[in-house]
Amino acid sequence: MCGRFALTATPDEMMELFSLLESDDFPARFNIAPTQPIMVVVAGERAAPGSNLPERKAVLVRWGFMPGWVKDPRDFPLLINARAESAIDKASFRAAMRHRRVLVPASGFYEWRRPPKGSREPSQAYWVRPRKGGIVAFAGLMETWSSADGSEVDTAAILTTAANASIRQIHDRMPVVIQPEDFGRWLDCKTQEPREVADLFGPVAEDYFEAIPVSDKVNKVVNTGPEIQDAVTPRSVANAQLKGKGKPTEPDGGQMSLF
């Protein structure tokens, strides 16, 4: 799953990668949490014939998907993720899969390795980012929820898929990554049926991400600075070292990495 992520790219970087018509200035965000506003990229209106202006645009939505048929949000669970394998057929996501597919820009995401029940091994947080840097685009779904008083809230969820072999060492799910060459097809809800883009739901290549162990600071939403991405010695390794059972190894640059 994906329960926290970060977006620290500049507006210029966003405009270049996603071919945006425009992008508002926004601050770097290192610890984006559910219910907070997130940026998504949507397909805009088709340009006039002969125009070379970009058609896509970036909008802010609430991270926490709300189907339009929900009467009272208090009686509905917070849907921050949707399983890509079943979203086409799920009542909550069926309409959005057909009409409102979006891209969720990110610099990376956070995941937690949970020890088996009964184990005394501590949980470990990881900052998972593209190995080559830059922005990654997660597949997302968007829905506008309308309240009884007529007010509207744009909401979104991130699609997840089975983790590749590398990420599976931490968690069995990971976000669906849409590559730049597939942006247009994913966002084209007018000619591309959901089952025609289902081939994009597989896990990304094994070497696409690197996972860096980080401290528990990321657990608290009040911690929003870049220091939450600082590499640490994994707690399990540190505990073993204290007991004299092993020493951690460090790759070049002094950063600890699982892969």
Side-chain angles (χ1 to χ4, degrees), residues 95-171:
M97 276 292 298
R98 178 63 187 88
H99 301 290
R100 289 171 290 278
R101 299 191 297 265
V102 301
L103 297 169
V104 182
S107 300
F109 66 100
Y110 300 96
E111 193 52 86
W112 285 259
R113 181 180 181 276
R114 312 289 186 186
K117 289 185 177 181
S119 170
R120 294 186 178 183
E121 182 183 351
S123 297
Q124 177 63 57
Y126 287 88
W127 163 234
V128 184
R129 66 185 183 187
R131 192 176 296 273
K132 296 181 180 179
I135 310 170
V136 59
F138 299 147
L141 300 176
M142 177 178 165
E143 188 64 88
T144 299
W145 180 79
S146 300
S147 67
D149 64 8
S151 60
E152 295 183 340
V153 180
D154 292 329
T155 68
I158 295 172
L159 287 170
T160 67
T161 187
N164 60 28
S166 298
I167 302 301
R168 199 177 305 131
Q169 299 180 57
I170 303 174
H171 198 278

Side-chain angles (χ1 to χ4, degrees), residues 17-35:
L17 178 62
F18 294 101
S19 299
L20 298 176
L21 182 60
E22 61 181 1
S23 180
D24 294 335
D25 194 9
F26 53 87
R29 298 175 64 194
F30 294 89
N31 195 6
I32 301 173
T35 74

Side-chain angles (χ1 to χ4, degrees), residues 35-47:
T35 74
Q36 292 180 353
I38 63 172
M39 182 175 294
V40 301
V41 174
V42 302
E45 297 298 325
R46 292 193 179 277

